[in-house]
Amino acid sequence: MESIRQCGVALCIVLGFSILSASIGSSVVRDRVTGAKRLQHISGLGYRTYWLANFLYDMIFYLVSVGLCVTVIAAFQLTAFTFRKNLAATALLLGLFGYATLPWMYLMSRIFSSSDVAFISYVSLNFIFGLCTLLMTIMPRLLAIISKAQSLQNIYDVLKWVFTVFPQFCLGQGLIELCYNQIKYDLTHSFGVDSYVSPFEMNFLGWTFVQLASQGTVLLILRVLLHWDLLQRPRGHTAIQGTVTFSKDVDVEREQIRVLKGRTREDLLVLCNLSKSYGGFFKKTTAVQDISVGIRRGECFGLLGVNGAGKSTTFKMLNGDTPPTSGHVVARTPTG
């Protein structure tokens, strides 16, 4: 009965670490929404360095929580998680769960526009992928034990391997397996039979450990490599060309002619017919239209205009936060 009660402890651990990983994973959404991530990139921090450093810091923070959890388990001597090699297996299972879950959350961070929404979504997905899949496998297993029906056992075996693609299920399934292993040992030990199975055997939790480690490695590599900015082809040194648009301001028209004719050798920053439009197939809203200007070395410039004139959109295109609809920007490195 004590081992059965510890199954409830296993579910509590799954819930706790689902919330913990969600709170850690939502931090990258906050960095992107507040502009902190973009500011670091503009300052020279590479994308790969950002994700690897962020993952390293989050893992250290996560492992501190794992250490505290394992300490509590050891202090209260929860037999299902402390007997023989079970404590080491529990610590490894919790650590690999974070290793596999954090890159998964990093990959999903792009679809959220708020860190609060990301946190709630991560928690909800962890519950669905963790508890719901766990219940879907526990029920056929219990019914198979009671009725001795081989068909139910086959359903359990299939679902158990299908759901291993979810790190949340691997964590819950691994903890339940430790409890089940302890129950078998307690029932047979009084008859002089040692039915304990090492959790590190491949036919027990060994494949779960391999699955979590493989998922974490693959997802982290995808997160480091598949960044949308890196997938864009570099424009290189595009020739400055285009057509002059009529303007009521003589200075604006003169500057546009200068840029389009290529008299920008002394300019460090050149905007050539830069435009940005938003909208779908039926309606488009032009935020920036045909800006052409060259900024020389040592010049300090600013954009003036009423609300909605396109000042913020122009700077977003300059720092790479938003791709332009047409036109291009040339940024040269100062020499001398």
Side-chain angles (χ1 to χ4, degrees):
M1 292 301 297
E2 178 63 24
S3 299
I4 294 176
R5 283 195 292 266
Q6 290 181 19
C7 292
V9 176
L11 297 179
C12 293
I13 293 176
V14 173
L15 293 176
F17 277 88
S18 297
I19 298 175
L20 173 64
S21 59
S23 62
I24 297 176
S26 61
S27 62
V28 296
V29 180
R30 182 169 58 253
D31 288 347
R32 178 175 56 82
V33 173
T34 59
K37 178 171 175 283
R38 173 60 57 182
L39 184 61
Q40 295 178 62
H41 292 330
I42 294 175
S43 301
L45 182 66
Y47 293 111
R48 295 179 177 88
T49 304
Y50 170 82
W51 287 115
L52 290 175
N54 204 81
F55 176 74
L56 180 61
Y57 173 81
D58 288 344
M59 275 302 299
I60 292 175
F61 183 81
Y62 176 84
L63 291 177
V64 171
S65 301
V66 171
L68 294 175
C69 180
V70 172
T71 301
V72 172
I73 291 174
F76 285 89
Q77 287 297 306
L78 300 178
T79 311
F81 309 116
T82 58
F83 186 69
R84 295 185 183 178
K85 298 180 180 180
N86 289 4
L87 186 62
T90 302
L92 182 60
L93 194 62
L94 293 174
L96 289 177
F97 170 72
Y99 178 76
T101 303
L102 291 179
W104 172 76
M105 293 182 177
Y106 292 166
L107 283 171
M108 294 185 59
S109 63
R110 189 70 190 178
I111 66 177
F112 299 109
S113 58
S114 171
S115 59
D116 296 333
V117 175
F119 172 74
I120 296 173
S121 301
Y122 286 152
V123 172
S124 301
L125 291 175
N126 283 338
F127 287 172
I128 294 174
F129 294 151
L131 295 181
C132 293
T133 56
L134 197 60
L135 293 175
M136 290 175 63
T137 55
I138 288 178
M139 294 305 298
R141 185 176 190 178
L142 293 178
L143 293 176
I145 294 175
I146 296 173
S147 63
K148 305 296 182 179
Q150 186 60 36
S151 59
L152 293 174
Q153 182 64 34
N154 294 335
I155 293 175
Y156 165 74
D157 293 335
V158 172
L159 292 177
K160 181 179 68 173
W161 288 108
V162 169
F163 290 150
T164 52
V165 297
F166 303 119
Q168 300 84 352
F169 173 78
C170 291
L171 174 61
Q173 179 70 9
L175 296 176
I176 293 298
E177 288 292 342
L178 290 175
C179 296
Y180 183 69
N181 188 35
Q182 188 62 34
I183 291 174
K184 289 194 302 180
Y185 174 81
D186 292 337
L187 292 176
T188 59
H189 179 66
S190 58
F191 298 97
V193 178
D194 189 354
S195 61
Y196 177 82
V197 180
S198 173
F200 294 98
E201 293 187 7
M202 296 304 294
N203 58 352
F204 190 20
L205 293 184
W207 281 114
T208 301
F209 296 144
V210 173
Q211 185 83 359
L212 288 173
S214 301
Q215 289 180 22
T217 302
V218 172
L219 293 176
L220 182 60
I221 292 175
L222 290 176
R223 176 66 280 182
V224 171
L225 297 180
L226 298 182
H227 196 280
W228 72 279
D229 285 346
L230 299 178
L231 295 177
Q232 293 180 353
R233 295 182 178 179
R235 294 173 178 264
H237 299 285
T238 308
I240 299 177
Q241 57 185 359
T243 57
V244 179
T245 57
F246 174 76
S247 176
K248 295 182 180 180
D249 194 316
V250 178
D251 294 333
V252 173
E253 188 172 337
R254 185 184 298 114
E255 178 68 8
Q256 187 180 34
I257 295 174
R258 183 183 74 86
V259 171
L260 295 180
K261 287 187 176 182
R263 298 196 296 264
T264 58
R265 294 183 178 180
E266 298 180 358
D267 297 345
L268 295 183
L269 179 63
V270 180
L271 285 68
C272 182
N273 281 348
L274 197 65
S275 301
K276 179 64 179 179
S277 298
Y278 297 97
F281 295 99
F282 301 101
K283 182 180 180 181
K284 290 187 177 181
T285 301
T286 302
V288 178
Q289 183 175 2
D290 295 331
I291 292 183
S292 296
V293 63
I295 310 300
R296 295 181 176 87
R297 180 179 182 180
E299 287 185 346
C300 180
F301 76 99
L303 299 179
L304 301 179
V306 297
N307 293 338
K311 304 182 296 298
S312 299
T313 304
T314 301
F315 277 112
K316 287 182 179 180
M317 289 188 287
L318 291 179
N319 62 31
D321 194 28
T322 300
T325 303
S326 61
H328 59 269
V329 178
V330 177
R332 300 187 177 100
T333 302
T335 59

